[in-house]
Amino acid sequence: MKILETKNLKKSFPVKSGFFSRVKGFVKSVQDVSFDIAPGETLGLVGESGCGKTTVARLVLRLHELDSGNIFFEGQEVGNLRGQDLKPFRKKTQMVFQDPYASLNPRMRVSSIIAEPMDIHEPVSSRERQERVESLLEQVGLDKSFANRYPHEFSGGQRQRIGIARAISLNPKLIVADEPVSALDVSVSAQIVKLFQKLQEEKGISYLFISHDLKVVRHVSHRVAVMYLGKIVEIAPKENWAKPLHPYSKALIAAIPIPDPTRKVTRVVLPGEIPSPMNPPSGCSFHPRCPFAEKRCSEEEPELKEWAPKQWAACHLIGRIGPMSL
Ligand code: SF4
């Protein structure tokens, strides 16, 4: 059974303006997004800023209401739950945030930050609480004596470890990590990625790992999904990412720097900006920037189809386009 299954998620946000805050349109942030995550699996979600990744994260954790679609957690529909009915789901799912400086309350001691989910969901005696906090600090590579300190006494990497200790405090089945390493230096970011992997091996946690950096996502994930303008355009096991199918995925891969000056690389520069999600293009939403676009692409929306084992992509021309060259 899958830990998480989403079907046709949709979410739009109203754009208001003027003295009476009249709604002048809707930002179509997430359009028809479906995916699943198996127990102990990491699904990476990658795409440019503004493509809807964070909205997907917040929908999955029920921090935003769905416009339509379904979310199944361990086989149970949770997309329609409200209030107290959501409590068991909240206990089994947690989030790690992008900004380790803003995500920890500066007025709370580390022990209170880490124990907060416990205090809400399963209060224990103060002695047990202290023992669990110390054990969690050690699990994330921090000294247990840090429990009495405040967040401002730590570096960015240490703060992110505290955020991870809080996230694993109730032994969740699923963690949604939204750009968890993008605010960190490269060496610190590598240590945090290793910590995520270690915790997954020890506890069997599933991750939805969101980043704009395909290199990090490919390293940490078992499968990777690429989003463009609110839709998933390709989803494939990480081994298949040497041969992406969708032109947008090809462009993302070609943009990854290779630390070898002797290797020849084909640079791919996509023309234009991402179109406005208030008024997405007709047909394939990538067509104004796609070097392979033809008439059909602006008229007909391509379906997400399985073209190779477990490799799904949404493009009319798959099979007809080879390596990307411009
Ligand atoms: Fe490009 Fe057409 Fe494929 Fe869209 S459907 S990615 S526009 S070739």
Side-chain angles (χ1 to χ4, degrees):
M1 184 175 45
K2 301 289 180 189
I3 279 288
L4 180 78
E5 207 170 345
T6 73
K7 288 197 193 305
N8 311 104
L9 302 186
K10 284 193 183 171
K11 181 71 185 173
S12 300
F13 296 98
V15 179
K16 297 178 180 174
S17 72
F19 186 71
F20 295 106
S21 296
R22 290 221 168 87
V23 175
K24 67 168 189 178
F26 287 88
V27 171
K28 293 169 184 158
S29 189
V30 172
Q31 304 180 63
D32 225 4
V33 165
S34 304
F35 60 85
D36 55 45
I37 305 180
E41 185 188 34
T42 301
L43 176 70
L45 189 59
V46 74
E48 288 166 286
S49 299
C51 70
K53 306 184 297 291
T54 295
T55 308
V56 168
R58 298 183 72 86
L59 287 173
V60 160
L61 291 182
R62 294 298 322 280
L63 301 174
H64 283 322
E65 285 300 321
L66 291 167
D67 289 347
S68 63
N70 304 90
I71 302 171
F72 298 93
F73 183 76
E74 295 183 311
Q76 302 269 312
E77 167 79 279
V78 295
N80 52 8
L81 298 181
R82 300 271 180 291
Q84 286 297 311
D85 293 340
L86 270 172
K87 230 178 156 188
F89 169 71
R90 298 234 182 274
K91 195 175 158 191
K92 292 180 184 174
T93 54
Q94 290 292 323
M95 188 155 186
V96 174
F97 298 91
Q98 173 180 5
D99 186 348
Y101 291 88
S103 61
L104 306 180
N105 186 336
R107 294 203 178 87
M108 285 168 78
R109 287 183 196 275
V110 167
S111 56
S112 304
I113 291 171
I114 293 177
E116 201 175 17
M118 273 187 262
D119 295 343
I120 295 169
H121 290 281
E122 50 181 42
V124 289
S125 69
S126 58
R127 188 195 167 111
E128 191 182 338
R129 184 179 184 269
Q130 183 66 19
E131 283 171 2
R132 280 167 71 168
V133 166
E134 289 176 359
S135 157
L136 286 162
L137 279 168
E138 286 176 344
Q139 286 175 51
V140 298
L142 294 175
D143 195 282
K144 59 185 182 184
S145 65
F146 291 174
N148 286 326
R149 297 200 193 166
Y150 287 93
H152 72 266
E153 298 177 61
F154 297 95
S155 67
Q158 287 173 321
R159 285 176 197 223
Q160 199 54 298
R161 286 176 191 267
I162 294 167
I164 294 170
R166 174 176 59 188
I168 61 168
S169 62
L170 293 172
N171 285 319
K173 298 272 179 71
L174 172 72
I175 289 181
V176 175
D178 187 8
E179 302 270 7
V181 294
S182 58
L184 305 174
D185 294 341
V186 178
S187 60
V188 179
S189 133
Q191 291 166 15
I192 297 294
V193 164
K194 273 195 193 149
L195 175 61
F196 274 111
Q197 290 172 320
K198 174 184 107 85
L199 292 171
Q200 185 169 57
E201 276 164 27
E202 289 170 2
K203 296 172 183 286
I205 305 168
S206 304
Y207 296 126
L208 175 60
F209 194 99
I210 294 171
S211 176
H212 62 273
D213 185 340
L214 186 53
K215 202 168 156 219
V216 172
V217 164
R218 260 204 316 183
H219 178 73
V220 79
S221 309
H222 299 102
R223 283 184 303 140
V224 179
V226 173
M227 270 189 92
Y228 184 79
L229 216 58
K231 292 179 185 170
I232 289 182
V233 296
E234 182 158 3
I235 184 162
K238 81 165 167 189
E239 307 81 55
N240 296 30
W241 281 94
K243 289 187 185 160
L245 296 174
H246 195 279
Y248 180 59
S249 314
K250 291 179 193 227
L252 286 184
I253 298 256
I256 297 176
I258 298 171
D260 179 357
T262 59
R263 260 183 77 181
K264 240 182 132 193
V265 287
T266 310
R267 287 270 161 254
V268 179
V269 181
L270 292 174
E273 298 288 320
I274 302 189
S276 164
M278 271 180 79
N279 192 16
S282 58
C284 171
S285 52
F286 187 53
H287 84 259
R289 301 174 78 196
C290 180
F292 305 103
E294 52 185 43
K295 189 164 177 284
R296 180 185 176 199
C297 301
S298 60
E299 295 166 351
E300 209 182 302
E301 188 179 341
E303 247 183 83
L304 192 65
K305 284 194 209 156
E306 191 171 16
W307 296 93
K310 296 187 183 165
Q311 186 163 14
W312 297 67
C315 172
H316 293 308
L317 305 188
I318 285 172
R320 283 170 50 195
I321 48 178
M324 189 175 232
S325 55
L326 294 175

